Amino acid sequence: MHKEEEIDTALIALLALLWEARQEAPEKPWSLAKLAKRTGVQMSTLLRQLNALSSAGLATVVTAESGGGSAFLSAAGAQLCASVFAPPPAE
């Protein structure tokens, strides 16, 4: 597998996790610590991935000076996830 494919897979997995967070509690973003634990990656890796999603306009990241923070899907990210992760329509 190429490094680019690994990154794409990681970003898709993170998008899926942010989508799950939105489904559970649309008004409450998940903390960066919770996201790091769920993804099983180091905080530095998570922040790099979130930065890529944020740069693409798909996620919003809020960081605190204390080192904490949270992340959630932007409207564009939610729209993308709804089309990508939505179950197929029933026939």
Side-chain angles (χ1 to χ4, degrees), residues 7-64:
I7 293 170
D8 291 346
T9 303
L11 290 178
I12 291 167
L14 183 54
L15 273 174
L17 197 57
L18 290 170
W19 179 243
E20 178 186 335
R22 186 181 180 97
Q23 300 308 302
E24 283 184 16
E27 69 291 337
K28 188 173 180 239
W30 278 5
S31 70
L32 297 179
K34 183 174 185 173
L35 286 167
K37 186 174 182 177
R38 290 276 187 107
T39 58
V41 298
Q42 293 181 349
M43 186 63 74
S44 59
T45 302
L46 176 68
L47 289 171
R48 245 189 333 272
Q49 293 170 344
L50 285 170
N51 187 41
L53 293 177
S54 179
S55 295
L58 300 175
T60 301
V61 182
V62 179
T63 54

